[in-house]
Amino acid sequence: MEDQLLGIKNAAMSLILDSKDQKELEEVMLQFLGRSGQLTLALKELPKLPIEKRAEVGTLANDVKKTVEEAIDRKRAELSHQKVEEKKAKIDITNPGILPPLGHLHLITQAIAEISEIFAQIGFTRVRYPEVEWDWYAFEALNFPDNHPARDDWETFFIKTEPNPKKGPMILTPHTSSGQIREMERKQKPPIRMLNIAKCYRRQSDVSHTPMFHQFEGLVVDEGISITHLKGTLDYFAKSYFGENRRTRIRPYQFQFTEPSFEVDVTCGVCNGKARLPSLRSGVSGQGCRLCKEGWLEMGGAGMVHPNVLKAGGIDPEKYTGFAFGWGVERVLMMKEGIEIDDLRLLYSNKIDFLEQF
Ligand code: PHE
């Protein structure tokens, strides 16, 4: 009986292996496991065995049955997989293809490209200075006193490492103004017309601030550079970037590295500088503008380069003057018409459904 069972097993296994399709496999199954299949019949013989052999042979018979059933299942899966593969191989090359999903440049990358292009038109050279910076470039050489609040660790990220004996602690640059001194060192002599766009870091996070953000910094140094050059450049940028009907104004302000210093405003794109929303009938509605307060939006800082900064950069302040400005890329982007982002942090959230809109 044992020999018979093993014989059945061998025969079944080799037929299963040789089956070329599902139909053949089903036939093999019937032949062994069907109602009058070889294995089924052999199992029926079990009760006829002498009692002392029954348990042993019974176990063997069950093992054989299990092995055969499993082999059939495996073969069935294999054959059906083969069928799918064959189907796949028959590709109709005249069918229109399926386009893979297309990405695009990030909103900020697009803005950086646009800003660079606008300034390239008037001869600014695009540079990029380190994000991990020495205190010297970010503060000391920019005329910051030792006790200035921006230098303490509430505003600035410090890198835990040995300070440089000449350049002080290592930090994450909190503004692109650190590029001013680096550019003076690189060029050694005016004329300088630099546009430094880089990542900046400050300890801040709310709807209008992210710990990492981008600034673009302009620096122009030459003989006879005056505030009128600065104002002309601001107007040129505002009109090129926001639109022909935009105007700028400068208000007195204070920065350590510029004297005089200004805050630059641009007319609001929603109310067009009127501070009231337009209405269909009278042209001006009673409602206040939802974006600005008095028709102006703050763009950022600017000023005439402080003589101490020129000196620190190795430039003679008796001979040369310059202007500088530094604005947030995210900020000017939000001030563009048609872009309404109510939480700046969304820009860096990697949410595809948000990013796809731009
Ligand atoms: N660095 C200043 C800031 O981050 C902006 C600025 C740049 C001001 C250049 C004046 C001149 O706020």
Side-chain angles (χ1 to χ4, degrees):
M1 179 84 189
E2 283 101 323
D3 288 350
Q4 190 199 350
L5 282 170
L6 291 174
I8 292 175
K9 180 176 144 191
N10 287 342
M13 293 305 271
S14 88
L15 285 171
I16 290 166
L17 216 68
D18 288 347
S19 302
K20 277 188 261 339
D21 52 32
Q22 301 280 6
K23 203 170 149 249
E24 261 181 47
L25 187 66
E26 296 314 311
E27 275 163 18
V28 177
M29 193 173 91
L30 276 180
Q31 189 182 331
F32 290 92
L33 298 169
R35 248 209 238 177
S36 46
Q38 290 182 34
L39 198 54
T40 319
L41 293 179
L43 286 167
K44 278 197 187 142
E45 298 294 309
L46 278 178
K48 294 184 191 153
L49 286 176
I51 200 118
E52 63 281 10
K53 290 216 84 179
R54 231 180 268 168
E56 194 189 324
V57 181
T59 317
L60 176 68
N62 277 328
D63 281 352
V64 170
K65 190 172 177 218
K66 205 168 147 224
T67 313
V68 172
E69 279 171 348
E70 280 172 3
I72 289 175
D73 285 346
R74 231 177 298 126
K75 186 74 183 178
R76 193 179 284 132
E78 196 182 296
L79 287 171
S80 80
H81 180 67
Q82 233 170 45
K83 211 165 163 187
V84 172
E85 289 298 308
E86 275 165 24
K87 243 195 199 157
K88 268 200 217 152
K90 286 184 206 140
I91 291 173
D92 179 355
I93 56 160
T94 61
N95 269 343
I98 301 162
L99 283 179
L102 273 188
H104 61 69
L105 293 176
H106 189 274
L107 195 50
I108 295 298
T109 313
Q110 292 179 37
I112 288 174
E114 190 180 349
I115 293 165
S116 306
E117 178 56 32
I118 289 172
F119 282 102
Q121 297 278 340
I122 52 169
F124 281 66
T125 302
R126 167 78 199 278
V127 295
R128 209 185 263 104
Y129 284 121
E131 295 167 33
V132 182
E133 186 53 290
W134 298 112
D135 174 278
W136 164 260
Y137 291 107
F139 297 123
E140 188 73 32
L142 294 181
N143 202 36
F144 278 81
D146 274 343
N147 58 359
H148 196 279
R151 289 178 97 146
D152 74 32
D153 61 1
W154 184 248
E155 285 272 339
T156 303
F157 291 104
F158 284 78
I159 308 276
K160 203 171 172 187
T161 183
E162 277 300 299
N164 179 296
K166 288 209 187 87
K167 293 176 176 171
M170 192 186 273
I171 58 170
L172 295 183
T173 198
H175 57 178
T176 41
S177 299
S178 50
Q180 292 189 18
I181 299 289
R182 284 191 176 271
E183 181 72 356
M184 292 179 201
E185 283 178 359
R186 183 178 78 91
K187 294 281 292 210
Q188 296 196 339
K189 240 177 104 65
I192 290 173
R193 237 182 264 178
M194 165 199 90
L195 184 71
N196 174 28
I197 311 187
K199 291 189 169 81
C200 302
Y201 301 82
R202 287 183 202 176
R203 292 182 56 169
Q204 53 184 18
S205 179
D206 58 44
V207 290
S208 54
H209 296 91
T210 47
M212 185 282 294
F213 58 103
H214 297 77
Q215 280 190 337
F216 59 110
E217 180 103 5
L219 173 70
V220 172
V221 183
D222 208 344
E223 281 179 59
I225 295 293
S226 72
I227 295 177
T228 54
H229 295 112
L230 169 62
K231 187 66 168 75
T233 307
L234 301 180
D235 279 336
Y236 164 76
F237 173 73
K239 288 186 193 312
S240 312
Y241 187 74
F242 298 111
E244 268 309 307
N245 55 352
R246 297 287 196 103
R247 283 165 289 122
T248 66
R249 72 174 180 191
I250 50 178
R251 280 181 289 115
Y253 203 72
Q254 199 276 336
F255 292 107
Q256 287 304 122
F257 37 96
T258 45
E259 185 57 42
S261 302
F262 311 104
E263 189 98 296
V264 182
D265 297 338
V266 186
T267 47
C268 170
V270 171
C271 66
N272 201 17
K274 295 194 173 70
R276 303 251 156 244
L277 285 185
S279 87
L280 286 177
R281 253 173 290 136
S282 62
V284 178
S285 85
Q287 248 184 339
C289 179
R290 71 188 145 78
L291 192 64
C292 67
K293 280 204 193 83
E294 284 147 14
W296 297 91
L297 295 167
E298 264 177 45
M299 192 150 75
M304 302 307 292
V305 183
H306 196 290
N308 288 351
V309 175
L310 290 172
K311 261 188 249 164
I315 290 174
D316 179 4
E318 297 297 324
K319 187 162 178 213
Y320 297 105
T321 49
F323 70 78
F325 57 84
W327 304 323
V329 174
E330 288 81 354
R331 194 181 178 89
V332 295
L333 181 71
M334 308 260 284
M335 285 160 58
K336 238 185 176 181
E337 274 162 87
I339 294 190
E340 279 170 40
I341 302 168
D342 50 18
D343 189 340
L344 206 66
R345 290 169 294 195
L346 266 174
L347 284 170
Y348 302 111
S349 62
N350 282 348
K351 289 209 171 82
I352 295 292
D353 48 354
F354 167 75
L355 295 170
E356 270 175 346
Q357 297 171 52
F358 304 100

